[in-house]
Amino acid sequence: FLFAAVAFLVGSGSSAEAMMNPQPAERGLPSETTMESMNSEYEAPMSVPLDRASTATKLLEMRRKMGEVQRALDAGKKKYSDKEEIFSRREDNLRNKDLELQEALVQFNRYLKRNEKKLRQAQMAADNERKQKEQKIREIAKKRQEIFAKKKEWRRLEHMVEQNEKYKDFLQDVFQQNSKDFDQRDHIMSRYKSLKKTHAELEAKRIRIERETEELSQKLLQESKAQQVRSLELNNKYAKSSKKFEKILAEKSSEMAKIEFEEQGKAVRRMKVTSCVMSIDNLYRRCCENEAKLLNKPAVLSKEEEMDPDKMVALTIKKLNIIHTYVKDFASIVEMWKQSQKEKERAEKAKKAS
């Protein structure tokens, strides 16, 4: 009983320790070998064998061992609880450091994103500035070309002004020296103005006539194009109509061929019917010469009966019935003759036998 109680206490202590400290390897707790070494430190001293001791002595010895085991168990639990507290503090520190590291990582990520955003903005600003710089360079080159052209034009006009000034001075000198030869100067100037005005009017008229001519040519071109389109449409309609006409002719020829084929079939059938009727009439004449008396009609058909198909069919059917009657009578006669011949043969055989 005492041994069972000790085993139960040891087992409950180990299970409680396992429940208090799950997964020791993951939390950095000592292994089983370390626990065995720690238990070995608290082992009870060797006792004298109790083979010859009394029951009370054995009981006291067992209680002493149980007390030692309980003290060793309490000491181990305290040591493990101290280590667990140290490990929990270390775990809290590591968790706090992990949180600090995560926070620092988040802040660093935000810093990188801000830097990346600033970098993109700087790149976009640099691209815009580069484009504006290129545009300004092109504008400067264009302006320089314009300035060069203006300077060239200015030098040409300046040269022309100088020449005109010289010519004006020359004309003034000529006019002052020969003023008596230019009495009609105002008349010449008014004539020049009128001629200039007339020239401007004629030039405007010429431009208007050219514009009207251009408009007429455009209208003529459009009309010619429309005429070509209409001619193409008419050609297409003619082609479609010709195709339809050819199709109708082909249908007509096919229908005519069908009609001709049907007429030929009718003629063949008519010939067959006529030959059949003639054969029936011939058989009828051969079978019965007194048919006219039986039917109360002449043996030869009249023109009305030949022209009327219904009467002709009815008459042919009557003839076939009469021929059928004659054939049956002829068959019965032949059968009777055969029977009479057989009776004659039997009678002759009987005579010969007698």
Side-chain angles (χ1 to χ4, degrees):
F1 176 78
L2 290 173
F3 283 112
V6 170
F8 175 76
L9 289 173
V10 173
S12 62
S14 61
S15 62
E17 183 180 356
M19 290 174 68
M20 290 174 66
N21 301 317
Q23 297 179 355
E26 294 180 359
R27 299 174 60 86
L29 297 177
S31 61
E32 293 179 358
T33 57
T34 308
M35 292 176 67
E36 289 177 358
S37 64
M38 292 173 64
N39 291 328
S40 63
E41 294 178 358
Y42 296 98
E43 287 181 356
M46 296 296 292
S47 61
V48 180
L50 300 176
D51 296 337
R52 294 185 296 274
S54 63
T55 306
T57 305
K58 292 180 180 179
L59 182 60
L60 291 172
E61 184 67 20
M62 293 299 295
R63 286 181 178 177
R64 185 182 62 80
K65 288 182 180 180
M66 286 175 61
E68 291 176 355
V69 169
Q70 184 66 34
R71 286 193 297 273
L73 182 62
D74 293 337
K77 286 183 179 180
K78 184 178 180 181
K79 188 175 182 178
Y80 285 132
S81 63
D82 294 337
K83 287 186 177 182
E84 184 179 4
E85 186 177 358
I86 292 168
F87 290 150
S88 63
R89 287 198 298 269
R90 188 180 296 174
E91 186 179 4
D92 292 335
N93 292 330
L94 290 174
R95 189 178 292 108
N96 293 328
K97 288 182 180 179
D98 188 15
L99 292 174
E100 291 176 358
L101 183 62
Q102 289 180 1
E103 184 68 24
L105 183 61
V106 170
Q107 292 179 0
F108 183 69
N109 191 11
R110 291 176 182 172
Y111 174 73
L112 289 177
K113 287 183 178 179
R114 286 197 298 271
N115 288 342
E116 187 178 358
K117 186 177 180 181
K118 291 179 180 179
L119 179 61
R120 285 197 299 269
Q121 291 176 357
Q123 288 178 353
M124 291 175 65
D127 292 336
N128 293 328
E129 289 178 358
R130 187 175 61 256
K131 291 178 180 178
Q132 291 177 2
K133 181 180 177 181
E134 292 176 354
Q135 186 177 1
K136 294 296 182 183
I137 289 170
R138 289 194 295 269
E139 290 179 357
I140 289 169
K142 187 176 180 181
K143 295 294 182 182
R144 284 178 178 175
Q145 291 177 1
E146 290 179 357
I147 290 169
F148 180 75
K150 294 293 183 183
K151 286 182 178 180
K152 189 176 180 180
E153 183 68 19
W154 179 73
R155 285 194 295 269
R156 187 180 65 81
L157 293 173
E158 190 178 15
H159 181 67
M160 288 178 64
V161 168
E162 290 176 357
Q163 289 180 354
N164 291 329
E165 287 291 335
K166 291 178 181 180
Y167 186 65
K168 181 181 179 182
D169 294 336
F170 170 74
L171 292 176
Q172 288 291 339
D173 292 338
V174 171
F175 177 73
Q176 289 176 2
Q177 291 175 7
N178 302 303
S179 59
K180 59 182 179 180
D181 296 332
F182 295 97
D183 295 335
Q184 298 180 354
R185 185 182 65 176
D186 296 333
H187 178 69
I188 291 169
M189 291 300 294
S190 62
R191 182 64 177 169
Y192 169 74
K193 290 180 181 180
S194 63
L195 290 173
K196 188 176 181 180
K197 184 178 180 181
T198 305
H199 175 73
E201 292 176 354
L202 291 173
E203 187 68 21
K205 187 176 181 180
R206 181 184 66 80
I207 293 169
R208 180 174 56 79
I209 291 170
E210 287 180 355
R211 190 183 299 112
E212 291 177 356
T213 305
E214 185 68 23
E215 291 176 357
L216 290 173
S217 62
Q218 290 291 334
K219 288 181 180 179
L220 181 62
L221 182 61
Q222 291 176 1
E223 188 65 26
S224 62
K225 288 182 180 179
Q227 187 67 27
Q228 289 178 359
V229 171
R230 285 196 293 272
S231 63
L232 289 173
E233 290 177 355
L234 290 173
N235 290 330
N236 292 329
K237 288 181 180 179
Y238 176 74
K240 290 179 181 178
S241 300
S242 61
K243 287 182 180 179
K244 288 182 180 179
F245 181 70
E246 290 176 357
K247 186 177 180 181
I248 291 168
L249 288 177
E251 291 177 355
K252 180 181 177 182
S253 61
S254 63
E255 292 294 330
M256 291 295 291
K258 288 180 182 178
I259 292 169
E260 187 176 358
F261 181 75
E262 290 177 357
E263 290 293 333
Q264 289 179 359
K266 288 180 181 179
V268 170
R269 288 195 296 273
R270 194 180 295 110
M271 289 176 64
K272 289 181 180 179
V273 170
T274 304
S275 62
C276 183
V277 170
M278 291 177 67
S279 299
I280 291 168
D281 190 38
N282 189 15
L283 288 172
Y284 171 74
R285 290 178 183 277
R286 290 177 63 186
C287 291
C288 181
E289 293 180 355
N290 296 324
E291 184 267 340
K293 294 179 180 179
L294 293 174
L295 296 176
N296 295 320
K297 288 184 179 181
V300 181
L301 294 174
S302 63
K303 292 182 180 180
E304 294 179 356
E305 291 176 347
E306 290 179 356
M307 293 299 292
D308 192 357
D310 295 333
K311 292 181 180 180
M312 185 176 179
V313 170
L315 185 61
T316 304
I317 291 170
K318 288 181 181 180
K319 288 182 179 181
L320 285 172
N321 291 328
I322 293 170
I323 291 168
H324 176 67
T325 304
Y326 274 97
V327 169
K328 286 175 68 177
D329 293 340
F330 183 73
S332 61
I333 292 167
V334 169
E335 188 66 27
M336 290 173 63
W337 180 78
K338 286 182 179 179
Q339 289 179 1
S340 63
Q341 289 294 326
K342 288 179 181 179
E343 289 176 358
K344 286 181 181 180
E345 289 177 358
R346 284 198 295 271
E348 290 178 358
K349 286 180 181 180
K351 287 180 180 181
K352 287 181 180 180
S354 59

